[in-house]
Structure formats: structure tokens, C-alpha cells
Amino acid sequence: MKDKKLEEKFGEYFKGVNTPDNITDDAKKYAVRKRAVLPKIVKFASVAASFVLVFTAALIIILRGGITPPEKGGDSAVPPPALVTYGNGELEYREANAYAASDLELSLYFIRNLAVASNAGVNEMTAGYGADGLALVKADACLFNGLLRHDTKIFVEFTEENTVHEELEDYRHGVVYEYRGVTYRLTRTIAENGEPEQKLYFLYQGVKYYFNVTSADEYAHLRYLEMIVK
């Protein structure tokens, strides 16, 4: 039950209290200030978080040694070192025996192997001598890799690395690849007979090897790398 006398007394009390007209205005100003400050804080926190994220990603890339480069082959536009060329006029050529090629120079053992193989043969071999001795060996070979035939011109050079026969200079401008840790250059062209042609060059144990392979075998160059690079 309601106590009428108690209500009348409290009613009289609240009627007697005068609330200032501006008390709610102050409260409103305070609320407005709070709302104005809050978006700035949120915006600052968002920018700071973005900065931390970018910094962390950059740090991870640095610690990992940078962005991983693409796989080999490399850019054929990379200029080779300056070369010194010479011609046939500076050499004295002599016929050589392919079956005894390794007696002429141990690094020519692969020519001897081609000469005695049941699926290959060497038609001709010559050795060119300069003022310092043996400089260039040439051989014409034929090899059957399964049903695919390779007609191959072989050049083995014993001059300094930056010294090259003028007919072989363009072999050094091929695309860079790697085989068993050995860097080689490969140029793919079309031969005069319309067949695919591969020009292979690599340096191995101080000797320079050049192969001009005419064949429909897309991976013909690998057969010659396999013969020499161990």
C-alpha cells in the first residue's frame, strides 16, 4: 500500500529543489568533446598498426635474404667478358685420329668414346696448333639417341678463357643455364636444312667445349654435357 503522507512529504521536497538550467548543457559539451577525440584516436591507432605491419613484412624479407630470384636459364642479354679473337690463318691444322683422341689430349676422351660407340661415329677430326701448341680441335660426329639422330660439329679449345676462335664467338652469347654446377650457354636456331639447331658452349676444368647439334631432339645438348661433366 502507498503511504500518501510520505509521498506528499517527498513531493514537497523535490518541488523545493531548483535545478540549474545549464546543467544539461555542460553535460552535452562534455559528450561532444569525447566524441570528437575518439575518431582521432582510432585513426591514429589504425595508421600505427599499418606501419607496424609493413615494417614487420620488410624485416622478414631482409632476414630471409630478399626475394628469391627466378629459376635458371638466365638472361641472354648479359654481356660476356671482352674477348680476344683469332682465325684459321694463325693455326696449322693436322689430321688427327679420333680413336686415339685421348692420346692427343686427355680431355678429348669423349671423342674417342663416340668413335668406338655402336650408336655413334666420328667422320673427321683435325687439330690446330698455334705458337703455344695445341689450340683447337675440330670433329664431325653422328650420334643416335634412340630414334633421334644428332649431326654434331665439335670444337674443343685450349686457349685462354677470353681468347676464342672467330667462328665460335657467337656461341658465348647464348642463354645461361646450369648443369651439375657447371654454367653453360645455349642458343637455339634453325639450321639450313630446316631442322632445329642447338649451339652449346661451356668451360670445364680449364677446357672450352663447343657443340653445334642439328637434331629434332629438344634435349640433344644434354647428351654432350653428360659425356664430359662428371
Side-chain angles (χ1 to χ4, degrees):
M1 295 180 64
K2 293 183 180 181
D3 191 331
K4 291 184 178 181
K5 289 184 179 182
L6 187 61
E7 287 182 356
E8 288 175 359
K9 287 183 179 182
F10 276 100
E12 292 293 331
Y13 171 77
F14 284 112
K15 285 179 182 179
V17 176
N18 294 321
T19 305
D21 295 335
N22 62 348
I23 190 169
T24 56
D25 293 338
D26 290 339
K28 289 178 182 178
K29 289 179 182 179
Y30 177 76
V32 169
R33 283 199 300 271
K34 291 285 285 185
R35 285 197 298 269
V37 172
L38 183 60
K40 291 182 180 179
I41 294 175
V42 172
K43 184 176 181 181
F44 175 78
S46 176
V47 172
S50 299
F51 174 79
V52 171
L53 182 61
V54 171
F55 176 79
T56 303
L59 183 60
I60 291 172
I61 292 175
I62 292 171
L63 292 176
R64 289 182 178 177
I67 298 173
T68 303
E71 297 290 326
K72 301 242 176 190
D75 186 357
S76 61
V78 176
L83 298 176
V84 177
T85 60
Y86 64 96
N88 287 328
E90 300 171 59
L91 300 178
E92 178 190 349
Y93 283 99
R94 306 171 192 171
E95 289 187 9
N97 184 353
Y99 292 96
S102 55
D103 294 337
L104 183 65
E105 169 60 46
L106 189 59
S107 58
L108 300 173
Y109 69 92
F110 75 96
I111 294 180
R112 184 254 179 204
N113 289 346
L114 286 171
V116 301
S118 59
N119 65 331
V122 178
N123 302 321
E124 183 181 2
M125 179 176 168
T126 58
Y129 295 84
D132 297 325
L134 183 63
L136 180 66
V137 170
K138 301 180 181 181
D140 289 338
C142 176
L143 169 68
F144 284 90
N145 185 21
L147 297 177
L148 298 174
R149 176 185 173 114
H150 299 177
D151 290 313
T152 308
K153 294 184 180 300
I154 300 169
F155 307 89
V156 184
E157 200 169 38
F158 300 94
T159 59
E160 296 294 328
E161 183 177 353
N162 68 330
T163 303
V164 58
H165 193 285
E166 58 191 6
E167 295 177 4
L168 303 174
E169 185 177 359
D170 63 325
Y171 284 70
R172 304 224 185 169
H173 297 272
V175 179
V176 177
Y177 295 91
E178 187 174 292
Y179 176 82
R180 293 183 180 175
V182 173
T183 298
Y184 68 90
R185 288 183 176 267
L186 183 67
T187 303
R188 294 183 183 273
T189 59
I190 299 298
E192 292 180 359
N193 64 2
E195 283 193 274
E197 179 182 67
Q198 299 173 32
K199 289 185 174 182
L200 168 67
Y201 162 73
F202 61 95
L203 173 69
Y204 184 65
Q205 295 183 347
V207 179
K208 293 171 287 181
Y209 298 87
Y210 306 80
F211 296 87
N212 185 325
V213 188
T214 302
S215 175
D217 183 356
E218 183 180 0
Y219 302 104
H221 63 285
L222 294 178
R223 293 287 296 117
Y224 301 93
L225 283 161
E226 289 171 356
M227 292 179 192
I228 298 165
V229 179
K230 304 300 182 181

